[in-house]
Amino acid sequence: KKLYVGQANASELGHTVILTKDKQARTIEELVASKAFLKLSKQKIGRLLTASEVFNLAEKGDKKAKEIFEEVGFYLGILFANTANTLDIEAIVVGGGISTTWKYLKKPAIQTMNNLIVIPKKPKIIISSTRDTTLLGAGKL
């Protein structure tokens, strides 16, 4: 095992580009980060909401809020599968804001990853409440 550092900013995986359901080329970051919740909440609920606000609605049983998490989880699962298929990794550590909403992202993310993964052993998904997961990776090395 060794650390892959690339030429400069290796592992900017959020900038992985995929073709979305509506046939648009987008970065994963656009589809799973804060901007995604603002955009999807405007489309589905009619107003701009943060991930935290969408989470609060989902906790109250709001179906449209849960649909937002389904879509974000789908794209997160694509990122997990692409990363695992490319790097043959043992684990994926989920931290930051995504980890706080994992409850609603878990099922679509893991299901999508499992549908797309081609390596023999699926990576373990580790949820961390630590904001800076880079420190966890460095510590593991």
Side-chain angles (χ1 to χ4, degrees), residues 37-49 68:
F37 285 92
L38 293 171
K39 180 182 175 186
L40 290 170
S41 66
K42 181 71 173 165
Q43 289 173 352
K44 293 183 183 287
I45 298 173
R47 61 187 198 274
L48 296 173
L49 298 172
I68 292 170

Side-chain angles (χ1 to χ4, degrees), residues 14 18 20 26-55 64-65 67-76 98 101 105:
I18 65 163
T20 61
R26 299 274 189 258
T27 67
I28 289 290
E29 188 170 306
E30 290 177 85
L31 301 166
V32 303
S34 302
K35 290 179 191 176
F37 285 92
L38 293 171
K39 180 182 175 186
L40 290 170
S41 66
K42 181 71 173 165
Q43 289 173 352
K44 293 183 183 287
I45 298 173
R47 61 187 198 274
L48 296 173
L49 298 172
T50 65
S52 162
E53 291 168 324
V54 175
F55 179 81
K64 292 184 183 207
E67 285 175 16
I68 292 170
F69 280 106
E70 287 284 324
E71 186 163 337
V72 171
F74 169 78
Y75 289 117
L76 191 60
I98 294 229
T101 60
L105 295 169

Side-chain angles (χ1 to χ4, degrees), residues 32-120:
V32 303
S34 302
K35 290 179 191 176
F37 285 92
L38 293 171
K39 180 182 175 186
L40 290 170
S41 66
K42 181 71 173 165
Q43 289 173 352
K44 293 183 183 287
I45 298 173
R47 61 187 198 274
L48 296 173
L49 298 172
T50 65
S52 162
E53 291 168 324
V54 175
F55 179 81
N56 289 337
L57 286 176
E59 288 285 88
K60 294 175 184 172
D62 188 288
K63 288 183 181 189
K64 292 184 183 207
K66 290 179 181 180
E67 285 175 16
I68 292 170
F69 280 106
E70 287 284 324
E71 186 163 337
V72 171
F74 169 78
Y75 289 117
L76 191 60
I78 290 173
L79 175 63
F80 290 173
N82 284 341
T83 304
N85 288 335
T86 302
L87 301 174
D88 194 19
I89 54 178
E90 294 177 36
I92 295 171
V93 179
V94 177
I98 294 229
S99 67
T100 63
T101 60
W102 184 245
K103 169 181 181 175
Y104 293 107
L105 295 169
K106 180 180 181 175
K107 183 178 177 184
I110 291 176
Q111 183 177 25
T112 302
M113 178 188 75
N114 288 344
N115 289 341
L116 299 173
I117 209 157
V118 296
I119 59 174

